[in-house]
Amino acid sequence: MRMRDTFLKPMHPEGRRFVAAFAVVTLILFLIWEPLGWIGVGLTVWCYYFFRDPERVTPLGAGLVISPADGIVSLIERAAPPPELGLGADERLRVSVFMSVFNCHVNRAPVPGEVVKVAYKPGKFLNASLDKASEDNERNSIVIRMRDGRDLPVTQIAGLVARRILCFTREGAHLSAGDRFGLIRFGSRLDVYLPEGVEPEVRVGQTMVAGETVLARLDEVAS
């Protein structure tokens, strides 16, 4: 790998207009006072890295559930999927990955399968690391139906400073594990609801890499 590739990552197209706006403001700040301009340079670089979209090497193997987001595992608990998905009130083990404003915010499919449901719900913009953010915050959920017929819900949740959830997939689409399916600006959370009997292979506080970190194994059912 070349040194340049270590620092220069591909940028998601969604970020181009934001980086351009930051750059214009930076030029104005230089005209006003040079030290302000250098602060603008730092913020422009941050904006570029926020929208980075690096290539990921997704592990191959049947039954793997891959992390859909970069960030830190903030919660592991039992909870019912969002009611708008129509999956009933039975609780599942939910793994929440919190993304700070310094994480890559491109979201990736945790398992291969068909998208059988996409549901958006408006809401608040509480700190996404809080438990009640799953119920109160703006969110967008998808349900991926795997080859064995089991459904795996994934929910994008807006955070304290996030003001838009983007979903790039639609009902009827077929995803491979690691495929990009959405993005959230700026600071947010992803919830994954595991099928009954499946235990996570991660712990609270663990760092996750979207499209690469194994979150759980579907073929290892708790006895």
Side-chain angles (χ1 to χ4, degrees):
M1 178 183 293
R2 290 176 297 180
M3 182 65 69
R4 182 185 64 183
D5 298 330
T6 301
F7 298 100
L8 297 180
K9 303 295 184 183
M11 183 175 64
H12 194 277
E14 179 68 20
R16 292 171 183 167
R17 65 181 183 273
F18 289 93
V19 173
F22 271 70
V24 169
V25 172
T26 296
L27 290 176
I28 295 173
L29 291 176
F30 268 117
L31 293 175
I32 296 172
W33 189 38
E34 184 174 337
L36 288 178
W38 287 112
I39 293 174
V41 169
L43 292 174
T44 302
V45 172
W46 166 80
C47 186
Y48 160 73
Y49 271 94
F50 178 87
F51 286 102
R52 66 193 182 277
D53 186 14
E55 293 298 325
R56 297 286 166 82
V57 180
T58 302
L60 300 177
L64 298 180
V65 180
I66 309 300
S67 177
D70 285 13
I72 301 293
V73 177
S74 59
L75 292 169
I76 298 177
E77 59 187 2
R78 295 192 65 83
E84 61 268 21
L85 293 178
L87 297 176
D90 291 342
E91 293 184 343
R92 305 181 182 205
L93 203 58
R94 180 177 69 195
V95 180
S96 301
V97 180
F98 174 71
M99 296 177 285
S100 77
V101 294
F102 299 105
N103 290 123
C104 174
H105 272 56
V106 175
N107 307 141
R108 296 172 180 264
V111 293
E114 180 185 359
V115 178
V116 296
K117 183 76 172 181
V118 177
Y120 169 79
K121 182 182 181 298
K124 301 177 182 179
F125 297 96
L126 303 173
N127 188 329
S129 64
L130 300 176
D131 180 29
K132 60 183 179 180
S134 293
E135 286 73 38
D136 296 340
N137 280 23
E138 177 183 79
R139 63 179 181 249
N140 184 79
S141 302
I142 68 172
V143 178
I144 302 175
R145 182 160 295 163
M146 297 173 283
R147 182 177 297 180
D148 62 8
R150 287 184 288 180
D151 291 334
L152 191 139
V154 184
T155 301
Q156 301 168 282
I157 301 173
L160 185 64
V161 292
R163 285 299 182 267
R164 190 176 182 194
I165 296 175
L166 301 177
C167 183
F168 307 138
T169 192
R170 55 179 174 76
E171 294 180 8
H174 290 267
L175 299 175
S176 298
D179 281 354
R180 301 163 177 85
F181 78 88
L183 183 150
I184 316 176
R185 323 188 288 253
F186 289 91
S188 43
R189 169 173 146 191
L190 265 287
D191 286 350
V192 178
Y193 294 82
L194 298 175
E196 186 61 37
V198 176
E199 293 292 326
E201 295 199 345
V202 297
R203 296 291 182 267
V204 172
Q206 183 172 336
T207 300
M208 310 296 282
V209 179
E212 293 190 354
T213 305
V214 175
L215 191 151
R217 297 178 189 271
L218 297 171
D219 53 355
E220 294 183 2
V221 178
S223 56

